[in-house]
Structure formats: structure tokens, C-alpha cells
Amino acid sequence: MKGIILAGGHGTRLYPLTLAVSKQLLPVNDKPMIYYPLSALMLAGIREILIISTPTDLPQIARLLRDGSHLGLDITYAQQDEPKGLADAFIIGADHIGGDTVALALGDNIFHGNSFYDLLQESVADVDGCVLFGYPVSDPERYGVGETDENGVLVSIEEKPANPRSNRAIVGLYLYDNNVIDIAKNLRPSARGELEITDVNLTYLEQGKARLRDLGRGFAWMDAGTPDSILQASQYVQVLENRQGVRIACVEEIALRMGFIDAEACDRLGALLSTSSYGRYVRAVAAEFR
């Protein structure tokens, strides 16, 4: 499976913060926001990742993540000149996807849960159509919403419905078979001139090939697109990290535990950051593996 992180847009809801800095590089507690979707793809076992962003933001992101080889990854980059909808990622990334399945993660979505690794591993192993992830929210009218029947089968998808049939928001992590490329290419743009991800999902639903996996209780999902939501996400991460003594979305640790790099490589990465508590944590993790 190939991975795509869509880190486009202008981050206008975060102005003036994003007038000079990419939204995906803003801090969520002690690490850049983009580490969170990147860590989700890594936990799914995905090592070939395309990052799509604006011409202005791409150099900043590439300076941070480089070619990914230090993490045992193969990271490439492509630009999206103007926001054209989430589904545009599959057209831009068609060559990257090739004949494989693909996971799309949104650059401002944050995921955390004890069973996340197992859920991802199960989901990527069997992608026939599309796999979506649902999370219960108190304000479903703000999101794309998935409705399931009594057997858990996905029966409807609505985008920001006035009268939601469900409280399950569809989060910014999507798994698709290779047909998604042709589906995206044949979409009719919305009134805003964008290729909507909901239309992609509805196509799979009409084919009877859309599934919704519940993230459920004990899981956290946050869409960090506003100052308030970034602050809330940072506070959540800070509390858990301080209480548990572990780091959420520490990409060096994940690379080590997934077998993408060895303990020596992990220690070298930590040494580069050793003046920070984050770097010292990375070195401590590497020492445990020796």
C-alpha cells in the first residue's frame, strides 16, 4: 500500500499564523502537526509516502522530513497550486500509487488510541473498495457522516447534513483500492470547483464496496484546523505524555518499533535533537532496544 498526506490549502482559519508558516508545521505540543498523520501511515506499515502541498509550503515540509530515508521511508513531494478538493490527491498522486492500494491522510488530523496499530493492520490487509473510519461526535452536522445498519454495514454518507442520521463523523484517514484513481478522474467538480472526497466514497457505496470501521471509545481524533483545536490537541497530548512517560506520534520511535530502522540509527537521530527533551526521549527508546 502507498501513502499520501494531503497538506495543501492556505490555512486561512489560522491567519495570521499561517501567513508565513505551513499549517502542518505548527506545533502540536512538542512536535510538528504533520508528524501525527505521518505516524498513522507508518503504523499501517506504509513506507512509500507522497506529500502534497502548496508551492510555498513544500520546501518547508521537505526541509523537515527530507527524503524520509533517516526513518526508513521513501518520501516524495508534489505540489497542488490551488485547493481543488481532497480527491484531487489521487490524480496528482496517480504515478505514485501505480497499481497499488492507497491510504490518504489529511495533514491536520490527529489520531491516538491503544488499539490503533491493530485496527490499521487489519484494515490495510483487506481493502476491497474503500475503508472509512468513523468517530462519534456531538456535532455531526459539521462533518461528513456515515450511517450503518444494525449489522454495521454502511448504508449512507452525507456531507454536513442539517439533520444527521448518525453521529459518526468520517475522519481524515481513508483506504482505497486502485480503482480510486479512475473514480477521481471521472468526478464532476462541485459548485466550488473541487473534487469532493464524499463523491468518491459515495461511488464506492453505490458499488457496495464501502466499509466503515468504528474508532470507538478510548480513542481520540482531532481536526486541528483552528487555533482552539490546535490548543486542545496540544493539551491532550501534553497531559498523556506527562502522565504516561511516552511520546505520541514520535516518528523515530515508531520507525524503530516497526523495524524500519535499527537502534543505532534511532540513537543517532536522537543525538541530533539531544538538547531537547524530545531528543533525549528518542535516545532513551533506542537504549531500550540495545
Side-chain angles (χ1 to χ4, degrees), residues 1 66 68 149 160 175 196 198 223 226 233-234 236 268 281:
M1 176 172 277
R66 295 169 279 162
D149 64 17
K160 297 181 180 178
L175 310 180
E196 303 289 353
T198 296
D223 178 356
T226 66
S234 295
Y236 171 85
R268 288 195 296 271
Y281 173 82

Side-chain angles (χ1 to χ4, degrees), residues 153-198:
V153 177
L154 188 62
V155 296
S156 75
I157 300 171
E158 297 179 290
E159 184 65 25
K160 297 181 180 178
N163 299 295
R165 301 178 184 177
S166 162
N167 70 338
R168 290 188 182 94
I170 296 174
V171 307
L173 179 63
Y174 316 86
L175 310 180
Y176 297 100
D177 65 17
N178 196 255
N179 292 323
V180 73
I181 298 173
D182 287 335
I183 291 173
K185 288 179 177 179
N186 288 297
L187 284 182
R188 178 176 296 179
S190 68
R192 299 183 299 174
E194 298 185 355
L195 302 179
E196 303 289 353
I197 198 72
T198 296

Side-chain angles (χ1 to χ4, degrees), residues 16-275:
L17 290 171
T18 49
L19 287 174
V21 179
S22 167
K23 173 173 68 172
Q24 283 76 25
L25 298 183
L26 293 176
V28 176
N29 194 35
D30 58 349
K31 60 191 72 69
M33 186 187 298
I34 200 169
Y35 274 27
Y36 294 86
L38 177 60
S39 68
L41 296 183
M42 292 172 68
L43 287 170
I46 298 170
R47 302 178 72 168
E48 296 179 65
I49 298 169
L50 174 69
I51 297 177
I52 300 173
S53 191
T54 67
T56 300
D57 291 345
L58 269 181
Q60 300 176 34
I61 297 172
R63 182 182 176 188
L64 172 70
L65 298 176
R66 295 169 279 162
D67 65 359
S69 59
H70 59 294
L71 297 171
L73 305 176
D74 178 7
I75 297 178
T76 53
Y77 301 89
Q79 70 180 42
Q80 185 184 48
D81 295 328
E82 293 294 336
K84 296 181 181 178
L86 303 187
D88 187 46
F90 305 115
I91 298 174
I92 295 173
D95 290 341
H96 168 72
I97 299 168
D100 292 333
T101 54
V102 61
L104 173 65
L106 303 189
D108 58 1
N109 274 224
I110 294 168
F111 308 92
H112 177 254
N114 290 332
S115 60
F116 196 32
Y117 169 81
D118 293 332
L119 177 63
L120 288 173
Q121 291 292 315
E122 292 171 7
S123 299
V124 301
D126 182 25
V127 179
D128 179 18
C130 78
V131 179
L132 310 175
F133 296 92
Y135 185 78
V137 295
S138 60
D139 51 353
E141 64 277 0
R142 294 180 53 221
Y143 304 97
V145 175
E147 177 193 11
T148 58
D149 64 17
E150 62 275 8
N151 297 315
V153 177
L154 188 62
V155 296
S156 75
I157 300 171
E158 297 179 290
E159 184 65 25
K160 297 181 180 178
N163 299 295
R165 301 178 184 177
S166 162
N167 70 338
R168 290 188 182 94
I170 296 174
V171 307
L173 179 63
Y174 316 86
L175 310 180
Y176 297 100
D177 65 17
N178 196 255
N179 292 323
V180 73
I181 298 173
D182 287 335
I183 291 173
K185 288 179 177 179
N186 288 297
L187 284 182
R188 178 176 296 179
S190 68
R192 299 183 299 174
E194 298 185 355
L195 302 179
E196 303 289 353
I197 198 72
T198 296
D199 291 336
V200 172
N201 298 336
L202 285 170
T203 301
Y204 279 107
L205 181 64
E206 291 166 1
Q207 296 173 353
K209 289 191 171 185
R211 290 186 292 155
L212 185 69
R213 300 291 303 269
D214 270 322
L215 297 178
R217 295 189 179 187
F219 199 94
W221 165 67
M222 288 157 279
D223 178 356
T226 66
D228 283 347
S229 59
I230 290 178
L231 178 60
Q232 291 166 7
S234 295
Q235 291 171 333
Y236 171 85
V237 172
Q238 181 188 45
V239 168
L240 282 186
E241 289 187 345
N242 288 347
R243 288 186 178 180
Q244 298 179 356
V246 298
R247 301 272 170 165
I248 297 171
C250 176
V251 292
E252 295 85 358
E253 178 179 11
I254 293 171
L256 176 60
R257 295 189 184 279
M258 293 295 294
F260 298 168
I261 60 174
D262 59 23
E264 287 70 25
C266 186
D267 183 68
R268 288 195 296 271
L269 293 175
L272 295 173
L273 309 170
S274 59
T275 56

